[in-house]
Amino acid sequence: MYLEPKVLLHFRFVVFVNIYLRVKIVSNELIIDVSPSHVEIALLENKKLVELNRESSDLKFAVGDIYLAKVKKIMPGLNAAFVDVGYEKDAFLHYLDLGPQFQTLNKFLKQASSKKIRLTNELRIQPEPDIQKDGKITDVLKTGQTILVQIAKEPISTKGPRLTSELSVAGRNMVLIPFSNKISVSQKIESTEEKSRLKKLVQSICPKNYGVIVRTAAEGKRVAELDPELRRLVTKFENAVIKLDKQVAPSLILGELDRTIGMIRDLYNPDFSNIFVNNEEIAAEIKEYVGTIDSEKKKVVKYYNGKLPILEHFGIDKQIKASFGKTVSFRSGAYLIIEHTEAFHVIDVNSGNRSKTGDQESNALEVNLAAAEEIASQLRLRDMGGIIVIDFIDMHGNENRQKVFEKMKEAMASDRTKHNILPLSKFCLMQITRQRVRQEMAIETAEICPVCKGSGKVTPTLLFIEEIEQKVRYIFEELHKQKLTIKLHPFVGAFLTRGFPSKALKWRWKYHRRVRIEEINAMSFLDSKFYDENNEEIIF
């Protein structure tokens, strides 16, 4: 059958559109903001912010850090001990977190501290019998004893860190467990044949007295990729404990990787299309690390040196402001109210002022299904942990409650954090437990009025530019700075830079110093920040 060119072109276009609509194209990107005080990593899926990680550059007592610690107090009633790791509050160590090989670890610590043991690629130490599962803390620990521990949960609220003595060293494809002989494979790998293959492979290369947990990322990997990583993990552990004889408790023995690389290790996915970093040195480190995983993927790591802050350039600042408030809108006027208490989090689903077409039951189901998707996104984005109680809109049909339950499980399937979801009760309440190992991501979206500074009294706006001029004079004449960057709202920035000669140009002529004006959309009107030549903020 012959088709005219125009008809054929139209036919091809229709086919392409149908295929495009059927295929869900996902574009994953990582945006990394590195500053002197913190590192912020944003995960975008199709330009939407789905995960945000923020850590202080000098963070201590992070999950995975191994410490030489001292037992401060034994609590027989709790079957636990309080341990000094150097934090302002004593850390908590329960008997069940000692690990079955605690006596072997304790024996190793004594020998390593007195240099009676020589480290090689194998831990040359005779294993001790496992401690009893139903034993007592007083059987194995005493006050003043020195022990090796690892941070299992970071300090949260008024609580100190939670500890474990079952040490582990995490890599991309596997987790090394010293003083263990067990090889286990991630349950997320579904193929029984692949699990068996990986287990046999790791058993053939694993040194004596070391155990391994094979992570999901190892699926399909060969010995040429896994063996070098295993050796690196063993070397990393041995290089840390070889100095035990020179350490005094409490002290850090082995810190996690560089915070940025550590977060990349857990977040990285081969499907990433771009990784943007605003620090050239960190970008080079990430490129090298990604190269060890997949040499062809090094090109996705790119250094960002644009004029706008990286989070503003990619529209992340705006999404943060919209997503971290107490009230979160999600569809057709419906919204969530998110409250936090000491014991748990409460999420209330409201239909808002959406138009009510059809019966109440179908409307409630529609809103609840959409709310389930948004709630799953919010839990991941805010890293909310512990107990979460969700008050969905009332539905009378059991089949509708089951649909919302199934939708929530589907929406949270991509959440890497361990969680458990219970079905809706007859009152349409749902309970979720989500593992909490660090402080919840809390960002204050409400801003203090830049005009009155929260006092409720307004100074004459006429004097704002005069105040800026006084600060510029003070910075150049009193502090003797060589360069100055002023960050302002675009409206104010426009006033200072437009026209000839502009205010900024006059300052440059007067002080013979470089003055740069940066217009930041995220800043409040009549707010200003000043930075010197070293990009350090000048506080007034």
Side-chain angles (χ1 to χ4, degrees):
M1 182 179 68
Y2 173 76
L3 294 175
E4 293 184 10
K6 287 185 178 180
V7 176
L8 183 62
L9 183 63
H10 177 72
F11 174 75
R12 286 175 176 171
F13 176 74
V14 171
V15 171
F16 172 77
V17 169
N18 277 292
I19 293 173
Y20 180 82
L21 291 175
R22 283 180 171 85
V23 178
K24 185 179 180 182
I25 300 174
V26 179
S27 171
N28 292 330
E29 293 180 307
L30 277 183
I31 313 300
I32 304 173
D33 179 21
V34 181
S35 73
S37 61
H38 68 270
V39 176
E40 204 161 3
I41 299 184
L43 173 60
L44 303 181
E45 290 182 2
N46 292 331
K47 304 300 180 183
K48 181 183 178 183
L49 179 65
V50 296
E51 199 163 328
L52 186 67
N53 292 271
R54 176 183 289 176
E55 288 196 6
S56 172
S57 299
D58 59 349
L59 180 67
K60 297 179 181 179
F61 311 104
V63 171
D65 289 350
I66 298 176
Y67 281 84
L68 183 65
K70 184 170 287 189
V71 178
K72 290 292 292 291
K73 188 187 296 184
I74 304 292
M75 304 294 290
L78 298 174
N79 204 18
F82 285 101
V83 180
D84 180 16
V85 292
Y87 187 65
E88 59 189 33
K89 293 193 175 184
D90 290 336
F92 183 78
L93 176 64
H94 194 273
Y95 179 84
L96 295 176
D97 294 322
L98 291 174
Q101 301 87 27
F102 180 76
Q103 297 290 29
T104 306
L105 174 64
N106 209 27
K107 177 181 176 181
F108 170 81
L109 175 60
K110 290 178 182 177
Q111 295 184 6
S113 298
S114 59
K115 280 194 171 180
K116 289 182 179 178
I117 191 168
R118 186 171 63 87
L119 291 169
T120 62
N121 63 341
E122 293 182 359
L123 289 175
R124 296 191 175 182
I125 183 170
Q126 187 64 32
E128 294 290 314
D130 290 356
I131 63 173
Q132 297 179 5
K133 291 183 179 180
D134 56 351
K136 303 294 182 184
I137 194 80
T138 50
D139 297 337
V140 290
L141 288 183
K142 60 182 180 180
T143 304
Q145 182 178 344
T146 301
I147 56 175
L148 276 174
V149 293
Q150 188 166 30
I151 306 294
K153 286 187 179 181
E154 294 175 9
I156 297 174
S157 186
T158 58
K159 300 176 182 177
R162 175 91 183 234
L163 305 177
T164 177
S165 279
E166 196 163 11
L167 307 184
S168 63
V169 185
R172 168 69 183 166
N173 298 301
M174 62 185 73
V175 179
L176 182 73
I177 314 290
F179 314 107
S180 172
N181 293 311
K182 294 181 180 178
I183 308 295
S184 57
V185 182
S186 168
Q187 294 299 317
K188 291 184 179 180
I189 298 177
E190 297 178 356
S191 170
T192 305
E193 292 79 8
E194 178 64 5
K195 283 183 180 179
S196 178
R197 183 191 73 85
L198 286 170
K199 190 168 185 177
K200 290 177 181 177
L201 188 158
V202 174
Q203 280 175 337
S204 68
I205 61 175
C206 188
K208 187 179 179 181
N209 287 333
Y210 281 106
V212 169
I213 299 172
V214 182
R215 305 181 75 172
T216 311
E219 187 171 8
K221 298 291 174 63
R222 302 296 173 187
V223 68
E225 298 171 271
L226 299 181
D227 186 51
E229 180 174 337
L230 180 59
R231 293 178 183 276
R232 283 197 301 271
L233 295 176
V234 170
T235 302
K236 181 179 178 180
F237 176 73
E238 292 184 350
N239 287 342
V241 298
I242 201 170
K243 303 172 185 176
L244 278 171
D245 61 309
K246 300 176 183 177
Q247 301 290 338
V248 178
S251 59
L252 178 66
I253 300 300
L254 176 61
E256 256 284 17
L257 290 169
D258 174 271
R259 292 291 166 238
T260 312
I261 301 297
M263 287 190 279
I264 291 289
R265 180 195 65 200
D266 295 331
L267 288 173
Y268 180 77
N269 187 306
D271 297 331
F272 281 140
S273 54
N274 292 298
I275 300 176
F276 291 100
V277 193
N278 66 345
N279 181 292
E280 197 166 8
E281 184 179 339
I282 299 295
E285 289 180 14
I286 293 173
K287 184 172 288 191
E288 182 180 350
Y289 176 75
V290 171
T292 63
I293 301 171
D294 185 350
S295 58
E296 294 183 1
K297 280 291 184 179
K298 291 174 71 173
K299 60 186 179 182
V300 305
V301 183
K302 300 167 185 175
Y303 169 54
Y304 171 81
N305 61 349
K307 292 182 179 180
L308 286 175
I310 187 168
L311 297 185
E312 182 175 342
H313 175 79
F314 289 98
I316 296 168
D317 274 340
K318 185 177 181 181
Q319 292 192 56
I320 290 173
K321 292 288 186 184
S323 302
F324 278 87
K326 176 181 175 181
T327 302
V328 179
S329 299
F330 60 93
R331 186 180 294 179
S332 303
Y335 61 95
L336 307 174
I337 295 179
I338 303 175
E339 299 274 9
H340 310 281
T341 71
E342 185 68 24
F344 52 84
H345 309 279
V346 181
I347 302 177
D348 185 27
V349 180
N350 291 275
S351 60
N353 57 359
R354 69 190 299 277
S355 57
K356 293 180 173 59
T357 56
D359 63 285
Q360 192 274 337
E361 184 79 0
S362 60
N363 273 301
L365 176 61
E366 183 184 344
V367 173
N368 286 339
L369 290 174
E373 287 188 2
E374 183 61 34
I375 289 168
S377 175
Q378 287 291 323
L379 297 183
R380 188 177 171 192
L381 184 58
R382 302 183 187 218
D383 199 14
M384 292 165 63
I387 300 172
I388 300 107
V389 178
I390 305 166
D391 181 10
F392 284 102
I393 298 172
D394 285 345
M395 297 178 296
H396 300 292
N398 289 332
E399 67 282 1
N400 289 337
R401 290 198 289 268
Q402 184 64 25
K403 285 179 183 178
V404 174
F405 174 56
E406 295 296 333
K407 185 67 175 181
M408 180 61 78
K409 289 198 295 183
E410 178 190 334
M412 291 192 68
S414 59
D415 194 333
R416 294 176 293 108
T417 303
K418 291 181 182 178
H419 59 269
N420 186 35
I421 307 170
L422 297 182
L424 277 73
S425 71
K426 64 181 292 186
F427 301 112
C428 279
L429 295 176
M430 176 183 284
Q431 297 175 67
I432 298 176
T433 59
R434 190 172 182 273
Q435 187 180 34
R436 179 170 67 171
V437 296
R438 53 177 56 90
Q439 193 80 14
E440 177 197 347
M441 175 69 69
I443 297 176
E444 182 58 60
T445 57
E447 299 175 350
I448 295 176
C449 174
V451 181
C452 70
K453 305 298 181 186
S455 67
K457 296 182 180 179
V458 181
T459 55
T461 54
L462 224 346
L463 303 178
F464 180 63
I465 299 300
E466 187 176 318
E467 287 178 6
I468 292 178
E469 288 181 336
Q470 289 174 357
K471 290 176 180 178
V472 170
R473 183 198 63 77
Y474 174 76
I475 289 168
F476 286 139
E477 294 186 354
E478 302 293 332
L479 300 182
H480 305 292
K481 299 293 183 182
Q482 298 303 308
K483 293 180 181 178
L484 176 63
T485 299
I486 309 176
K487 296 184 179 182
L488 299 150
H489 189 278
F491 289 173
V492 183
F495 179 80
L496 296 177
T497 55
R498 303 307 189 266
F500 183 85
S502 65
K503 287 277 187 184
L505 189 59
K506 287 180 181 178
W507 294 338
R508 189 168 184 172
W509 291 345
K510 181 177 180 180
Y511 301 108
H512 304 289
R513 301 283 192 278
R514 183 181 173 186
V515 180
R516 189 159 67 96
I517 305 295
E518 279 191 21
E519 299 177 1
I520 309 297
N521 286 321
M523 291 188 68
S524 303
F525 188 61
L526 296 186
D527 194 10
S528 59
K529 292 184 178 180
F530 298 80
Y531 297 84
D532 63 13
E533 59 270 20
N534 299 317
N535 202 30
E536 294 180 358
E537 186 175 359
I538 302 168
I539 307 297
F540 292 91

